[in-house]
Amino acid sequence: MKVRDRMSTDVKTVTPETSYADAVDLMKERSVRRLPIIDKGKVVGIVTLSDLNKAGPSIATSLSRNEISYLLAKTTIKDIMPKHQELISIEPDRYIETAAKTMRRYKISGLPVVENGVLVGIITESDIFDALIDVLGVQSSHTRIDLHIEDRPGELAAITGIAAAKNKNIINTVMFMDHKVNKYKLILRMEEQDVEDMVAELKAQGYAIESVIIADEETD
């Protein structure tokens, strides 16, 4: 799954000359928390709701309401954004996990999507969460089986073979190393809710079943 599959393309932007008040109004109108900053057709940064909230009190110290309103109307994005802000962006053909790792590395919640120097979209942590939900297949009722398997060739094939023999449909699988037990943790999501015969066979084959949960979109 690539960034272009999940990014929003209807992106509202501001310029360095946009006023503080206009930026706040635009965020409220669009129910967004970040706005890319465009200067001479190129993305030069991003301003967030947090940036605006931090700027407001520092400007408004011990002033009357009218003075505050006047100063905020005169304050522009270029007054708020760091002088040497590093632009952290991503290309639309990068994978969604690359976007997630980039956000995590820089501790940010959104990335402008830039192609050939032009802004083509924006991807946020909410887009990443939605993609994760779809990838994990938790939008509908299913049975989740958690078990540990050894780190050796053929383990996953053996388990899917058991599912096929029991006429069970696997929606998806997730596997990661559980360092606490030095084994792989395998999560199977099955379409069927009655999986007792499959679980019994897994146990008979020596697999350590951690849990079996019947889940739906509300409880998983």
Side-chain angles (χ1 to χ4, degrees):
M1 186 181 297
K2 295 186 176 181
V3 168
R4 69 168 67 253
D5 300 321
R6 290 292 173 171
M7 68 185 190
S8 299
T9 56
D10 182 18
V11 185
K12 292 300 181 183
T13 62
V14 292
T15 72
E17 305 302 325
T18 300
S19 72
Y20 172 98
D22 286 345
V24 169
D25 289 343
L26 185 56
M27 284 190 183
K28 289 180 179 178
E29 175 190 330
R30 301 287 297 189
S31 297
V32 297
R33 295 180 293 163
R34 59 193 67 77
L35 296 167
I37 306 168
I38 305 294
D39 189 21
K40 299 177 182 178
K42 293 187 176 182
V43 188
V44 295
I46 192 166
V47 64
T48 67
L49 181 59
S50 177
D51 296 329
L52 297 179
N53 288 337
K54 289 176 183 177
S58 64
I59 295 167
T61 303
S62 71
L63 298 175
S64 69
R65 181 171 298 179
N66 287 338
E67 289 172 322
I68 292 170
S69 299
Y70 175 80
L71 280 177
L72 292 182
K74 293 295 183 181
T75 300
T76 63
I77 295 302
K78 69 180 178 183
D79 299 320
I80 297 170
M81 63 183 292
K83 298 300 181 184
H84 303 289
Q85 184 183 59
E86 179 185 5
L87 175 62
I88 303 168
S89 62
I90 195 165
E91 297 173 344
D93 284 326
R94 301 298 294 273
Y95 287 105
I96 199 83
E97 55 265 38
T98 302
K101 288 191 291 185
T102 301
M103 289 184 201
R104 177 64 175 164
R105 181 183 307 122
Y106 292 99
K107 299 180 181 179
I108 54 179
S109 57
L111 289 168
V113 184
V114 179
E115 187 172 31
N116 299 322
V118 178
L119 179 74
V120 295
I122 190 168
I123 188 163
T124 69
E125 58 188 2
S126 295
D127 299 319
I128 301 292
F129 292 152
D130 289 342
L132 179 63
I133 290 170
D134 287 345
V135 167
L136 293 179
V138 296
Q139 295 283 26
S140 58
S141 298
H142 60 279
T143 301
R144 168 176 168 164
I145 304 174
D146 289 24
L147 65 156
H148 285 98
I149 64 175
E150 299 292 340
D151 181 11
R152 61 191 177 202
E155 282 289 82
L156 184 58
I159 290 171
T160 57
I162 293 172
K166 298 299 181 181
N167 199 31
K168 299 295 188 288
N169 185 36
I170 298 175
I171 298 173
N172 66 37
T173 64
V174 176
M175 189 166 64
F176 58 92
M177 176 59 71
D178 186 344
H179 294 287
K180 291 183 293 185
V181 295
N182 200 31
K183 291 183 178 181
Y184 277 103
K185 173 77 167 288
L186 176 63
I187 299 173
L188 295 172
R189 286 187 170 84
M190 316 296 299
E191 186 176 47
E192 295 81 8
Q193 293 190 354
D194 181 8
V195 295
E196 290 184 6
D197 55 342
M198 180 175 171
V199 170
E201 182 62 25
L202 287 169
K203 289 180 178 179
Q205 295 289 335
Y207 293 103
I209 306 296
E210 184 178 271
S211 62
V212 179
I213 302 171
I214 297 176
D216 58 35
E217 62 269 28
E218 298 296 329
T219 59
D220 193 24

